[in-house]
Amino acid sequence: MDLYTYAKYDGTGLAELVKKKEVTPKELADAAFKQIELVNPLLNGVVRTRQEKVLKELSQLDLQKQPFAGVPILLKDISQAIEGEPLTAGSKLLKDNIAGRDSNFVARLRQAGFSFIGHTNTPEFGLKNITEPEVHGQTKNPWNTKYSAGGSSGGSAASVASGIVPIAGASDGGGSIRIPASFTSLFGLKPTRGRTPVGPSVGRQWQGASIDFVLSKTVRDSAAMLDLLQIIQPEAAFHTPLFEGNYTDVLRKEIKRPLRIAFQTQSPVGTPVSEEAMDAVHRMVKWLEEQGHEVEERGNGIDGVRLMENYYIMNNGEMAATILSLEKMLGRPIAANDVEIVTWVLSVAGHSVTAAEFTQSLAEWDMAAAKMAAFHETFDLYLTPATAFPAPKAGELTQTEEEIQSLLKVSELKKEEHLSFVYDMFLKSLTVTPFTQLANLTGQPAMSVPTHITAEGLPLGVQFVAPKGKEDMLLALAGQLEQSDLWIGMEGNPFF
C-alpha cells in the first residue's frame, strides 16, 4: 500500500481492508513506520516507536475476530501504558520509567487487535494546552509548522493530521482532546466521565476531570472506539450507564426531532474571542437553523472565573500529590530544576491547599454540574467556540526565562496569594482556550468539530456540549455535519 492511499483511509476502512485480505497488517505497519520517518522530523509528534515488537506481535492477531486487527495506532505518553515500554508523562524525571503492565485502556485496545506502533508527545504531566516539553521538544502543527498542534494531546493530533495513523490515543482533563482537534481539523470527542477505562490502580484521574479516549479523522472511527471502550469498571470511582444501542449505528439514523440548542460566543472568563471563532459559531448556527433546529443565544449561568479557580485548586492538589509520589519513588527530594516551571508552581501552591478547601472546591464542581443539568432540561446541546483563537505560534505560550524567574517567587508568597498567582500564570494560555474546561468539571460529553478555516489557513473548531450520557446525540449531529459543506476535515491540509 502506497503512503498516499494509506493516509486517506480511516481506521474503520483499514480494518475492512484487512478482513477482506486486500492488505496485510504488516503492510499497514510498514506504511505507518515509513510515514513516521517521512513526517516526524518536521512535526515531532512521535517520541518513540516499537517497530521490532510490532512485527513480532502481528502473528498473534486474529484477523477475523478482532475488529481492528492490524490497524496502527499511537498512544499518548501519559496514562496509556504499554507493558515493558517507557512512559514519561513528558517529564525528564520519568525518562527511565518502564510500565509494569498495560493500562486498562490499552488492554481494551489490544483485545481489539490494534498495533501499538509507539507513543506520542505530551507536555509535562499534561498540564498545558500546547505540547512543548523540555524532555521531548516542540510538536508542530501539520497545517503550518510555524504553529503549535495544541495540547496536551498535541503529539497525537499531529500524528493523525499528518497521516501517520488514522486514530491516536488521547486524554482530556481540561480540553486536551478538543483543543488539538480544533487546531488541526480533527474530530475530538470527550466522553462522559466514567465512560472509558481508567487505571490500573487509579479509580479516578484528576478527580474525574480527565478521561482517556482518542482523536480521529472521522466520526465513525470515534463512534466505533466508543463502542469498543465503554465499560462498567468495578474499581473505578465513577460509572455511567452503558449505552444500550450501538454508537456506530447512530450515525446511520436521522435525528428524530428538532434539537433545542443554546449558543454563546463570549468567553466565560471575560477574555477576548477572535472574530474567526465567533464567525465559526455563527456559521454553525445558520446551518443548524437550516436543518430545522431551534437555536437561541443564551449563557449557562455559571461563573466562569470561579470555575477556573476550582479547576486550578484541583491542579494544585494533584501536582503536589504527584511530586510527593515521585519523591517516594526516587528516594530523594525534588527541586525546582527537576521539573518544568508550571509543574513546580502548581506543586508549591498545592501544599498550601487544605483538605477543607479541596473538598469545598469539588463541591462547587457538583454545583456547576447541577446547573448544567437544569440548563439541559431546556436545551439539548450547548454550542461555543472550541477555542477562542486558532493555534498559537510554536513557542508563543511557553514561559520565557524572565517569566520563569518571576514564577520561581511562588515559594515566597503567602498562602492566600497562591491561587491568583496560578491564575495569572495560566491567563495567557487560558485566553486562547477558555471554553473546554466546563465539561471536564461537570463530567459532560463534549466534542470539537472541524468546520472552519481562518483567513490565514488555520483550522478552528466549534464545540458542542451534551447532557451526561448523551454521546449518541453528539455523534448523530456530527455524522450529519460530516456530510455537509461545513465539514473541513483534511481538505487543504498539506500532508493530504
Side-chain angles (χ1 to χ4, degrees):
M1 174 176 278
D2 66 87
L3 295 184
Y4 178 80
T5 302
Y6 167 76
K8 287 291 185 182
Y9 274 89
D10 66 357
T12 302
L14 292 177
E16 291 171 353
L17 292 180
V18 170
K19 283 181 170 49
K20 293 176 183 177
K21 298 184 178 180
E22 295 180 19
V23 67
T24 67
K26 185 178 184 305
E27 288 175 306
L28 296 184
D30 287 343
F33 287 118
K34 286 178 183 176
Q35 191 72 347
I36 288 174
E37 291 177 9
L38 183 65
V39 308
N40 203 53
L42 300 171
L43 303 175
N44 192 38
V46 181
V47 295
R48 76 185 65 89
T49 59
R50 51 193 307 273
Q51 188 164 2
E52 291 185 9
K53 292 181 180 178
V54 165
L55 296 178
K56 290 180 181 178
E57 291 166 355
L58 294 180
S59 62
Q60 302 168 16
L61 296 174
D62 188 323
L63 303 189
Q64 296 306 312
K65 291 184 179 180
Q66 292 178 300
F68 286 91
V71 175
I73 192 170
L74 285 159
L75 300 168
K76 187 175 177 180
D77 189 27
I78 183 171
S79 76
Q80 297 177 1
I82 305 172
E83 181 180 358
E85 297 288 337
L87 192 73
T88 73
S91 176
K92 58 187 177 183
L93 278 177
L94 294 173
K95 62 183 177 61
D96 297 321
N97 179 56
I98 303 297
R101 57 162 285 186
D102 288 349
S103 72
N104 292 329
F105 178 87
V106 169
R108 295 279 285 208
L109 298 180
R110 191 185 293 280
Q111 290 170 11
F114 280 101
S115 292
F116 303 139
I117 65 171
H119 273 115
T120 61
N121 205 3
T122 182
E124 186 172 61
F125 301 118
L127 293 172
K128 295 183 179 181
N129 60 1
I130 54 170
T131 301
E132 301 178 1
E134 293 174 8
V135 70
H136 296 306
Q138 293 179 344
T139 293
K140 308 293 182 62
N141 194 320
W143 288 78
N144 186 328
T145 55
K146 293 180 181 179
Y147 291 83
S148 171
S152 64
S153 305
S156 292
S159 298
V160 176
S162 62
I164 294 174
V165 288
I167 305 169
S171 61
D172 192 317
S176 291
I177 286 175
R178 290 159 288 154
I179 290 166
S182 175
F183 291 165
T184 61
S185 200
L186 297 176
F187 180 61
L189 174 68
K190 183 201 84 71
T192 303
R193 178 184 297 154
R195 176 72 76 194
T196 58
V198 298
S201 305
V202 178
R204 68 190 73 214
Q205 296 181 130
W206 279 12
Q207 304 304 312
S210 184
I211 57 89
D212 280 290
F213 195 53
V214 300
L215 280 156
S216 66
K217 290 183 295 198
T218 64
V219 179
R220 71 173 183 173
D221 271 0
S222 283
M225 295 302 288
L226 204 56
D227 282 324
L228 175 69
L229 288 165
Q230 71 160 336
I231 188 174
I232 297 294
Q233 189 179 340
E235 69 270 34
F238 307 104
H239 301 107
T240 195
L242 296 178
F243 180 60
E244 294 182 358
N246 186 291
Y247 287 112
T248 303
D249 290 343
V250 166
L251 306 184
R252 305 187 184 102
K253 300 176 182 178
E254 293 186 2
I255 298 174
K256 294 182 179 179
R257 60 175 176 81
L259 300 175
R260 289 206 66 190
I261 301 171
F263 78 93
Q264 185 174 22
T265 58
Q266 292 180 332
S267 165
V269 295
T271 48
V273 177
S274 69
E275 291 292 333
E276 292 275 13
M278 291 190 282
D279 183 49
V281 170
H282 290 140
R283 289 175 64 240
M284 179 62 70
V285 167
K286 183 175 183 293
W287 181 87
L288 290 166
E289 290 175 336
E290 289 172 351
Q291 307 311 304
H293 301 298
E294 301 175 33
V295 189
E296 177 182 335
E297 188 167 9
R298 177 78 70 88
N300 58 28
I302 292 174
D303 183 341
V305 171
R306 181 57 188 163
L307 186 86
M308 288 309 304
E309 288 177 343
N310 285 312
Y311 182 73
Y312 294 144
I313 288 171
M314 176 273 294
N315 286 153
N316 291 343
E318 289 288 329
M319 288 319 303
T322 295
I323 294 302
L324 286 174
S325 296
L326 288 171
E327 287 180 335
K328 184 177 180 180
M329 182 181 80
L330 297 173
R332 66 172 179 84
I334 290 174
N337 60 2
D338 287 319
V339 293
E340 296 182 26
I341 189 60
V342 169
T343 300
W344 182 251
V345 170
L346 292 174
S347 66
V348 171
H351 282 293
S352 68
V353 176
T354 68
E357 289 167 338
F358 199 83
T359 301
Q360 288 172 343
S361 177
L362 293 179
E364 292 192 41
W365 293 22
D366 295 338
M367 291 168 61
K371 282 189 176 181
M372 287 306 294
F375 180 84
H376 284 296
E377 290 177 5
T378 302
F379 296 102
D380 296 297
L381 298 173
Y382 179 49
L383 166 65
T384 71
T387 55
F389 292 85
K393 288 186 176 179
E396 181 180 342
L397 297 182
T398 291
Q399 283 79 12
T400 64
E401 186 57 38
E402 182 179 354
E403 289 170 333
I404 290 171
Q405 292 305 312
S406 178
L407 289 170
L408 284 171
K409 296 178 182 177
V410 64
S411 302
E412 304 170 10
L413 299 178
K414 297 177 182 178
K415 165 185 159 50
E416 57 268 24
E417 297 175 313
H418 282 159
L419 186 56
S420 61
F421 190 82
V422 168
Y423 197 102
D424 289 343
M425 176 179 70
F426 279 119
L427 186 56
K428 188 176 180 181
S429 60
L430 178 62
T431 299
V432 179
T433 58
F435 293 101
T436 51
Q437 297 84 1
L438 171 67
N440 296 91
L441 271 63
T442 62
Q444 295 171 251
M447 67 179 181
S448 176
V449 290
T451 57
H452 189 79
I453 296 290
T454 70
E456 292 76 27
L458 293 172
L460 190 61
V462 299
Q463 175 183 238
F464 288 91
V465 182
K468 290 180 182 178
K470 289 295 184 178
E471 289 94 337
D472 58 315
M473 189 182 298
L474 293 175
L475 289 167
L477 181 61
Q480 288 191 358
L481 277 165
E482 195 173 26
Q483 303 306 314
S484 75
D485 292 337
L486 273 185
W487 193 268
I488 302 297
M490 293 296 103
E491 183 179 347
N493 182 331
F495 283 84
F496 286 82

